[in-house]
């Protein structure tokens, strides 16, 4: 068995979170001020969206800090999955608060549409919001790219990522940028056609967009929380590493589970060559652990099937 201590909170992920908090907090205040002046339902929906996103970033920050706690008696495998738990709470928040309230406000405004007001300040705030959201989105994109495999798309990088903080903020910011476009289109079309119902309809569309983003987040974080394996290519490389060990006859199975963004547990069911002395088996295990640590540093804990060890000494 090989164990390493849990890392301190990861600087790259925290940078992404702090950038998102700064962007969304300022944007939310500006949107609500303009929504109060203009009466735009789409701007209210966007304000709700940014306020919810700000709260969500603080939840992710909490998850980051809790996931960095060292293993203890009650949690011998550490607290890495705390991040996945809080990311799932974020997904529920986006669904209920972001999507639900935006749709509710849009439906309410459709029943009693406010009069059309001068949209200039709405456009100003939406433009500034797009700049801030674009900055936050770009920070999360760059962090995703650090682990992105050559030849894969950004969306494939999101699906493959085990870092819930980064892909959650990337998905949130992507939805935010689309929402800004929808809000701007709703306001512009409402004034162009002199129709007060288009703006509330845009609020409902923004709500549906957020619900879609929430389902996407829940699917990704839920799988990690239950316990995902490393991807197929990494598993194949890991098996090839084991097969290079001359003391092994065969590798029956290598079962992995993601315990955190940068921590994986490995349970190895292998067959050692019969008749090996205990010293040679220990030396082989040491070589395997050293090779795994060098080539797959995210694998922090390795357990060997006891039946394989017993068979070696028969």
């Amino acid at each position: 068995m090989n164990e390493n201590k849990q890392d301190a909170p990861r600087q790259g992920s925290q940078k992404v979170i702090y950038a998102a908090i700064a962007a969304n907090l300022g944007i939310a205040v500006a949107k609500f001020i303009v929504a109060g002046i203009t009466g735009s339902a789409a701007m209210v929906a966007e304000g709700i969206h940014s306020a919810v996103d700000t709260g969500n970033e603080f939840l992710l920050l909490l998850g980051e800090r809790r996931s960095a706690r060292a293993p203890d008696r009650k949690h011998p495998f550490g607290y890495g999955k705390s991040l996945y738990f809080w990311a799932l709470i974020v997904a529920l928040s986006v669904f209920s608060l972001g999507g639900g309230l935006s749709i509710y406000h849009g439906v309410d405004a459709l029943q009693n549409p406010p009069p059309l007001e001068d949209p200039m300040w709405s456009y100003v705030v939406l433009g500034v919001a797009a700049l801030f959201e674009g900055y936050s989105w770009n920070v999360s994109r760059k962090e995703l790219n650090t682990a992105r495999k050559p030849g894969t798309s950004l969306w494939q990088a999101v699906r493959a990522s085990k870092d819930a903080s980064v892909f959650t903020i990337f998905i949130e910011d992507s939805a935010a940028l689309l929402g800004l476009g929808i809000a701007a289109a709703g306001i512009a079309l409402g004034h162009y056609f002199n129709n007060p119902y288009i703006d509330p309809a845009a609020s409902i569309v923004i709500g549906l967009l957020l619900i879609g983003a929430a389902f996407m987040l829940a699917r990704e974080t839920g799988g990690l929380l239950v316990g995902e394996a490393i991807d197929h290519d990494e598993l194949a490389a890991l098996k090839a590493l084991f097969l290079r060990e001359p003391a092994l006859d065969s590798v029956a199975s290598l079962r992995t589970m993601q315990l955190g963004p940068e921590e994986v547990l490995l349970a190895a069911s292998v067959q050692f060559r019969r008749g090996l002395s205990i010293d040679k088996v220990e030396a082989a295990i040491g070589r395997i652990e050293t090779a795994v640590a060098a080539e797959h540093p995210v694998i922090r804990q390795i357990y060997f099937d006891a039946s394989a060890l017993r068979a070696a000494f028969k």
Side-chain angles (χ1 to χ4, degrees):
M1 179 181 72
N2 177 45
E3 296 187 15
N4 292 330
K5 292 182 179 179
Q6 181 77 1
D7 287 341
R10 296 160 302 120
Q11 295 300 314
S13 297
Q14 289 205 359
K15 179 183 177 182
V16 173
I17 295 173
Y18 285 129
I21 288 174
N24 284 311
L25 186 59
I27 292 169
V29 173
K31 285 176 179 176
F32 280 126
I33 290 173
V34 171
I37 295 172
T38 64
S40 168
M43 286 300 294
V44 172
E46 277 299 305
I48 292 170
H49 181 183
S50 294
V52 170
D53 281 355
T54 303
N56 288 344
E57 266 84 73
F58 280 107
L59 291 179
L60 288 175
L61 197 58
L62 174 63
E64 281 281 344
R65 294 190 179 279
R66 288 190 62 84
S67 67
R69 294 170 63 183
D72 54 30
R73 183 183 60 82
K74 291 185 68 176
H75 296 86
F77 292 105
Y79 290 81
K81 287 193 176 186
S82 292
L83 177 58
Y84 300 148
F85 169 77
W86 287 107
L88 184 60
I89 297 299
V90 165
L92 296 176
S93 171
V94 171
F95 175 83
S96 59
L97 297 178
L101 288 178
S102 295
I103 291 173
Y104 173 80
H105 186 78
V107 171
D108 183 65
L110 279 175
Q111 295 172 346
N112 298 287
L116 297 174
E117 301 286 349
D118 184 356
M120 182 188 70
W121 285 110
S122 293
Y123 294 140
V124 170
V125 170
L126 288 173
V128 173
L131 291 176
F132 279 102
E133 291 286 7
Y135 166 74
S136 177
W137 180 88
N138 194 47
V139 172
S140 61
R141 179 191 65 82
K142 287 181 177 178
E143 191 65 23
L144 274 174
N145 277 337
T146 60
R148 181 177 168 183
K149 294 182 178 180
T152 60
S153 67
L154 200 55
W155 171 241
Q156 288 172 321
V158 170
R159 295 296 308 272
S161 175
K162 309 301 183 182
D163 193 335
S165 293
V166 174
F167 72 66
T168 294
I169 291 175
F170 179 82
I171 292 173
E172 280 188 346
D173 287 346
S174 298
L177 288 170
L178 289 172
L180 291 171
I182 294 169
I187 293 170
L189 291 173
H191 282 81
Y192 182 80
F193 292 107
N194 195 30
N195 186 336
Y197 292 98
I198 297 178
D199 185 284
S203 176
I204 295 173
V205 174
I206 291 170
L208 294 173
L209 171 68
L210 294 180
I211 287 175
F215 273 108
M216 190 182 304
L217 286 173
R219 181 181 62 185
E220 296 300 320
T221 57
L224 289 167
L225 187 59
V226 171
E228 282 188 3
I230 59 177
D231 69 37
H232 179 75
D233 291 340
E234 289 178 298
L235 191 60
L238 188 62
K239 186 171 183 178
L241 181 154
F242 271 74
L243 290 174
R244 292 200 301 266
E245 170 53 50
L248 292 181
D249 263 345
S250 62
V251 178
S253 67
L254 298 175
R255 289 168 291 175
T256 60
M257 182 169 65
Q258 202 78 32
L259 297 179
E262 296 175 357
E263 184 176 7
V264 173
L265 178 148
L266 167 62
S269 180
V270 298
Q271 186 70 47
F272 286 92
R273 289 192 291 111
R274 291 181 180 275
L276 289 178
S277 67
I278 189 169
D279 290 339
K280 289 183 177 180
V281 170
E282 288 179 349
I285 290 174
R287 288 192 297 271
I288 291 171
E289 290 180 343
T290 300
V292 169
E295 298 182 29
H296 304 270
V298 295
I299 297 178
R300 307 295 183 84
Q301 302 179 70
I302 305 175
Y303 295 90
F304 288 86
D305 189 344
S307 61
L309 300 179
R310 289 196 299 269
F313 303 132
K314 288 182 178 179

